Amino acid sequence: MSPIPLSDYENPQIRNWLDLPRDVTSTILLKLGAIEILRSAQRVCTLWRRICKDPLMWRAIDMHNSVDLYSMEHDLEIMCRHAIDRSCGQLVDINVENFGTDDLLKYISNCTSHLRRLRLVSCSSISDQGLTEVAQKFPLLEELDISIGYLSKGPLEAIGRSCPGLKSLKFNKVAFRYPHIESDEEAFAIAETMPELRHLQLFGNKLTNSGLIAILNSCTHLESLDLRRCFNVDLEGNLGKRCDEQIKDLRRPNDPTNDYPFTDEEHDYGSFDEDYPLGIADLDFLLDVDYDYYIGDVDYDHYIDDADDDAPEPFYD
């Protein structure tokens, strides 16, 4: 390769990231997500650090971890509480996927009364009682995602009664074809307490036609309804026709699941043309993983001694 002529270096245009408008820099940083902001972005320079401490940066907190939860060098719950503190009561949207607990839910409810969107995906440490107790603290909640969880009708009823403006609900489970189990408890809870729903996803639910009819009768504003892998629902005949007429965007039990992010193919036993009814079973076990979190009183205004190789490096206040 021939050398680049010196003339090409004349009048170089040097671009400095620090010259970007503040709102542009904020938009770029927000795309990183809360974890990367706290772990790295805010350390880059004084300006970025100042922007990262602005409460407006923390109105929406996405703690969805893109790496293996158990390889994280920080305790995500401690990190999340720190992010919530930075919001200064302005938090409206939070995602605590994979690590949410009852204690963290309580902390969120004590720090904001403006929450509108809550995502609780794969949060096995959140109990019926835990969500029920904080439901009344979220009167403005509009969107709730409880996917791959182990909650029952109790917290659904509490959310429905406490959050009259709830417009979107995802209450998804892992779908099992058999043994055949039917239950309309959750469907009835939704029908009885959430009349303003516009969007409902019940992937892998055990509801039957009776539960579906109750939802259609009560949730008359429904625009989209996802019943994929709800194998106890039969949409042949009049009920299917009613769904087509009443729901703009309908996903049927046997529809493709390629766009659903939590499909567990290993539990998809049998074929759709079996002669016996298809059912769904509850998961009766949880993954029990021994993992030592770094927990304790963390002073985020100071660095951990660099000589302490065994201690994780903290994010900074």
Side-chain angles (χ1 to χ4, degrees), residues 16 23 30 34 37 44 86 89 100 105 142 149 154 158 160 170 200 211 237 253 261 307 312:
N16 191 334
D23 60 335
L30 283 171
I37 289 176
V44 171
R86 287 193 176 186
L105 268 184
E142 296 179 356
K170 295 181 179 181
L200 177 61

Side-chain angles (χ1 to χ4, degrees), residues 47-256:
L47 175 61
W48 282 23
R49 179 178 172 81
R50 190 158 50 242
I51 292 175
C52 291
K53 296 188 74 172
D54 185 342
L56 292 179
M57 289 283 290
W58 303 97
R59 296 185 75 246
I61 299 175
D62 184 1
M63 294 291 290
H64 170 68
N65 47 297
S66 59
V67 299
D68 182 0
L69 174 64
Y70 299 107
S71 69
M72 289 291 292
E73 62 182 1
H74 302 298
D75 185 296
L76 289 179
E77 183 165 345
I78 291 177
M79 187 182 289
C80 187
R81 288 176 184 238
H82 189 64
I84 293 168
D85 291 341
R86 287 193 176 186
S87 72
C88 298
Q90 300 186 48
L91 179 64
V92 297
D93 183 347
I94 190 165
N95 176 7
V96 293
E97 184 170 343
N98 287 324
F99 70 96
T101 65
D102 286 346
D103 287 341
L104 182 56
L105 268 184
K106 185 175 182 180
Y107 193 82
I108 295 170
S109 70
N110 289 335
C111 292
T112 181
S113 59
H114 307 294
L115 199 67
R116 296 181 183 274
R117 288 172 290 279
L118 177 61
R119 182 174 170 84
L120 307 174
V121 175
S122 297
C123 293
S124 59
S125 295
I126 291 180
S127 67
D128 282 356
Q129 180 179 356
L131 184 53
T132 298
E133 288 179 351
V134 302
Q136 61 182 345
K137 298 287 189 69
F138 303 138
L140 301 180
L141 195 67
E142 296 179 356
E143 300 177 20
L144 176 62
D145 184 349
I146 305 176
S147 295
I148 320 304
Y150 307 95
L151 301 177
S152 64
K153 68 169 185 174
L156 284 180
E157 292 173 338
I159 288 289
R161 295 191 180 101
S162 301
C163 311
L166 192 68
K167 300 293 192 300
S168 175
L169 174 66
K170 295 181 179 181
F171 193 73
N172 303 321
K173 298 185 177 183
V174 176
F176 283 77
R177 293 181 181 276
Y178 32 78
H180 182 76
I181 298 176
E182 298 180 356
S183 176
D184 286 312
E185 287 186 345
E186 295 151 358
F188 290 153
I190 292 169
E192 292 169 2
T193 65
M194 303 179 184
E196 297 301 319
L197 281 181
R198 266 64 174 176
H199 309 284
L200 177 61
Q201 186 175 68
L202 294 173
F203 192 100
N205 200 274
K206 300 185 295 295
L207 84 162
T208 69
N209 284 10
S210 295
L212 175 56
I213 291 172
I215 290 173
L216 294 175
N217 288 341
S218 299
C219 305
T220 56
H221 303 293
L222 269 183
E223 299 173 9
S224 66
L225 177 60
D226 190 343
L227 298 172
R228 282 176 293 176
R229 294 199 176 181
C230 293
F231 297 130
N232 298 328
V233 171
D234 181 3
L235 293 185
E236 298 297 329
N238 291 334
L239 182 56
K241 182 179 179 181
R242 176 181 177 183
C243 287
D244 288 332
E245 294 174 348
Q246 185 171 337
I247 308 298
K248 295 179 181 178
D249 181 9
L250 176 66
R251 310 297 292 273
R252 293 169 175 267
N254 293 351
D255 281 355

Side-chain angles (χ1 to χ4, degrees), residues 296-316:
D297 296 326
V298 180
D299 184 353
Y300 298 111
D301 290 321
H302 298 83
Y303 295 88
I304 287 182
D305 189 346
D306 292 337
D308 187 359
D309 294 332
D310 294 328
E313 183 181 4
F315 46 92
Y316 309 119

